[in-house]
Amino acid sequence: MPQPRLLLTRPQLGAAQFLERLSPALRMGAVISPLVEIAPTAVLVDLTPFAGVIFTSANGVTHAPAGGGMPAYCVGPQTTAAAAKSGWQAQMAGLDAEAMIANLSGRTDIGPLLHLAGRHRRGDIAGILSASGLTTQVVIVYEQNLMPLSPEAQALLEGSTPVIVPLFSPRSAHHFAQQAACTTGVMAVSISSAAAEALEALPLYAHDVAAEPTGEAMAEAVEKLFRRTTLP
């Protein structure tokens, strides 16, 4: 079998950061074709009525005001680190949104909170937390506009070389399933079972799911799949 190539479909900055986690053999010949373009909404955010904020992605941090030491409850280590760097009193409230909801539900002492989010997100975090007694509102600070796969990416998928494709959300996995011209050589790595479900109807060469929904676990899963297909 030829050595697999890597196709990254994250937004450009996120793809470049993920690529840095990987071994040189995987970085060589990698193709970046973002399926989502992040764009600010330019909404004015008033933090004065709130005791803290919620971040479910690093994109939310990027398009939020500086923290000024205000508490931020974050999903995942990458988002937490980004929030801390931006001046928030950041703490990781869970590896995914479900874990964060479980950890924050009913904690009226830390509210009210403001979820600084993208337009497309899974579940109504603010509604669920508010129903638990923790008053939470949401403000959309960025858009996630869908993009087509590039001609270079389509040519890679239609070639004779296996292609490792990490997919970081159910929405991007669903869009990849619609966009990909050929998937018989695709070795997919999904960040969660929800993302994996979007690929169920595709003819894939291989499909793994990360051990947990983090960039580190995704990198480990990609490396493991690469080694499995290249070692004699």
Side-chain angles (χ1 to χ4, degrees), residues 55-137:
F55 290 122
T56 47
S57 80
N59 290 317
V61 178
T62 299
H63 297 289
M70 191 175 192
Y73 305 93
C74 307
V75 169
Q78 183 177 343
T79 302
T80 306
K85 188 175 181 180
S86 190
W88 298 90
Q89 183 186 325
Q91 59 180 279
M92 190 172 79
L95 283 176
D96 55 25
E98 288 76 13
M100 184 197 69
I101 288 170
N103 286 331
L104 298 185
S105 287
R107 291 189 57 188
T108 56
D109 58 304
I110 64 172
L113 300 181
L114 180 64
H115 183 193
L116 297 167
R119 186 169 304 278
H120 299 278
R121 56 199 183 276
R122 295 187 68 233
D124 180 12
I125 292 172
I128 294 171
L129 290 178
S130 293
S132 78
L134 173 55
T135 300
T136 306
Q137 297 181 30

Side-chain angles (χ1 to χ4, degrees), residues 42-63:
V43 66
L44 294 177
V45 179
D46 181 10
L47 296 173
T48 54
F50 302 98
V53 301
I54 288 172
F55 290 122
T56 47
S57 80
N59 290 317
V61 178
T62 299
H63 297 289

Side-chain angles (χ1 to χ4, degrees), residues 176-200:
F176 175 79
Q178 293 181 319
Q179 283 283 310
C182 179
T183 61
T184 54
V186 168
M187 306 163 72
V189 179
S190 294
I191 195 168
S192 65
S193 57
E197 288 173 6
L199 307 179
E200 285 182 346

